Amino acid sequence: MQSISVPRTNKGISIVTPFFNESGGIERFYDAIVSTIDAIPDLKFEVVCVDDGSVDDSLTRLIELTKRDRRFRVVELSRNFGKEAALTAAIDMARGDAVIPIDADLQDPPELIPKLLAEWQKGAEVVLAHRSDRTSDSFVKRMMAQLFYRFHNRVSSVNLPDNVGDCRLMDRVVVEALKRLPERLRFMKGLFSWVGFKTVAIDYARARRATGTTKFSGWKLWNFALEGITSFSTAPLKIWTYVGALGALVTLSYAAFIVIRTLIHGVDIPGYASLLVAVLFLGSLQLISVGLLGEYIGRIYLETKQRPIYLVRRCYGEPDES
Ligand code: UDP
Ligand code: MG
């Protein structure tokens, strides 16, 4: 076991942020981060910005930051790999004793950073930022999120803390543990929880997006939810054994009923409607279960290819080796 005297190696703290078409918010991001970290003079910081294949001038602006401030580094991915992959890249590149992922849109306010650090210095290995107030999100989004967490936590072996985003602090031991998880399809929230470690939470109110718009549409969120559930639960696969068994039981009792009725009352007029309903109902159930199998098999297929999670085109801003 590693002891938890802080700081461990004096490599400093890494703030890691994925950027996808965030050009309009970069100056604001810079100002907010710099004023926060300048106010913590006894710790060294680096800011790892990952450009996730932006098509606006985010990359140019980020590179400009590395020239202005040596604490900023930029990792340019070869295309848009999606937030989870970009975040993985950012965490892989971070060298600090603690790593803090934070969104580019400042929805998780940088003022959280000193609070996260305070808990870490008290000995926590993971400090979660818990959204006590989510009124900045729409009602429907909040409801869907709640539903998702409930369902997920019921069927999965890993418990996702409710209303906790990606903003958190992770100690180096946690980051190294995270790096050992080889999966290609990365549901980061789940992976963060799966590794465990000594965790504490602090509360904050989630702000509105400072500039730009969310990159997550309803359809993307639905797929994100599917990713979460299929990554950490096989319950949706297994449930069909029981649904099937129950169906068979009902069918058998109904068959017995028909046999007895025929013996007593003779041959009846065949029921076309009931037959059709039964056939259609069972047919749909079978299609759903086959579709679900498809969800899992598709993911097995993607995982077996062993493709890298992301590809880096170039890094900007020299790592300070002192
Ligand atoms: N993001 C990314 N790649 C993507 C989509 C989003 O790197 O394909 C980044 C985005 O720039 C932001 C963070 O992920 O820093 C969160 O995105 P967003 O604010 O759109 O998500 P929301 O807060 O609405 O869940
Ligand atoms: Mg956001």
Side-chain angles (χ1 to χ4, degrees):
M1 264 312 275
Q2 191 170 346
S3 76
I4 42 168
S5 60
V6 177
R8 280 100 176 158
T9 59
N10 206 17
K11 284 228 172 98
I13 310 298
S14 305
I15 294 173
V16 300
T17 306
F19 287 78
F20 178 52
N21 297 342
E22 300 282 3
S23 168
I26 286 177
E27 273 311 311
R28 201 191 226 121
F29 173 80
Y30 177 79
D31 291 341
I33 293 291
V34 166
S35 62
T36 310
I37 61 184
D38 282 348
I40 315 171
D42 48 334
L43 284 175
K44 232 166 62 172
F45 281 90
E46 65 165 3
V47 185
V48 181
C49 307
V50 170
D51 176 59
D52 187 17
S54 299
V55 291
D56 61 5
D57 65 345
S58 293
L59 179 66
T60 330
R61 284 178 184 239
L62 288 173
I63 295 171
E64 205 268 312
L65 294 189
T66 65
K67 296 187 180 135
R68 208 188 307 170
D69 193 325
R70 283 175 54 77
R71 292 171 293 188
F72 280 69
R73 283 162 62 207
V74 173
V75 177
E76 179 194 1
L77 300 189
S78 64
R79 62 170 170 86
N80 178 251
F81 280 88
K83 180 181 177 186
E84 307 299 291
L87 192 56
T88 305
I91 292 172
D92 287 350
M93 301 294 166
R95 293 159 309 138
D97 293 319
V99 175
I100 306 178
I102 193 162
D103 282 356
D105 57 12
L106 300 176
Q107 279 194 288
D108 309 311
E111 296 87 74
L112 274 173
I113 294 171
K115 294 182 194 154
L116 295 171
L117 286 169
E119 294 297 328
W120 176 61
Q121 280 168 328
K122 278 190 236 157
E125 289 158 331
V126 177
V127 190
L128 302 177
H130 177 257
R131 303 165 182 165
S132 54
D133 173 7
R134 260 189 92 151
T135 43
S136 62
D137 286 329
S138 72
F139 177 73
V140 178
K141 190 168 176 182
R142 289 204 308 267
M143 286 305 291
M144 295 311 274
Q146 202 184 1
L147 213 73
F148 166 72
Y149 283 116
R150 277 227 192 119
F151 182 71
H152 184 281
N153 289 344
R154 180 146 302 175
V155 300
S156 302
S157 47
V158 168
N159 223 45
L160 286 186
D162 203 354
N163 283 326
V164 169
D166 292 330
C167 179
R168 63 187 63 215
L169 178 145
M170 288 175 288
D171 184 82
R172 177 52 50 189
V173 274
V174 182
V175 173
E176 291 306 319
L178 207 57
K179 283 195 195 166
R180 289 181 50 203
L181 303 185
E183 50 244 83
R184 269 65 193 161
L185 301 167
R186 297 184 83 78
F187 181 68
M188 292 307 275
K189 266 186 231 242
L191 300 182
F192 287 151
S193 293
W194 186 88
V195 294
F197 291 96
K198 253 195 288 177
T199 304
V200 297
I202 56 170
D203 281 332
Y204 77 106
R206 185 159 151 97
R208 276 181 202 287
R209 222 176 197 284
T211 48
T213 50
T214 176
K215 311 289 183 297
F216 290 90
S217 59
W219 179 244
K220 253 187 159 177
L221 281 174
W222 162 250
N223 280 301
F224 190 54
L226 268 184
E227 196 63 64
I229 288 163
T230 51
S231 295
F232 288 94
S233 171
T234 49
L237 275 179
K238 294 177 185 159
I239 194 175
W240 300 101
T241 317
Y242 303 97
V243 174
L246 197 75
L249 206 74
V250 172
T251 315
L252 263 177
S253 350
Y254 187 56
F257 168 73
I258 291 174
V259 169
I260 293 165
R261 196 179 56 179
T262 312
L263 287 178
I264 298 170
H265 296 291
V267 179
D268 207 359
I269 305 160
Y272 172 74
S274 57
L275 202 69
L276 200 66
V277 166
V279 167
L280 288 181
F281 178 67
L282 282 178
S284 327
L285 275 191
Q286 277 162 354
L287 276 184
I288 294 172
S289 66
V290 169
L292 243 160
L293 280 180
E295 292 286 344
Y296 280 89
I297 292 173
R299 284 173 170 83
I300 298 170
Y301 176 60
L302 289 177
E303 291 288 355
T304 50
K305 291 194 218 222
Q306 303 260 324
R307 286 182 183 153
I309 300 165
Y310 56 84
L311 289 175
V312 175
R313 181 177 288 126
R314 248 190 95 175
C315 297
Y316 304 84
E318 268 319 294
D320 181 14
E321 291 304 351
S322 63

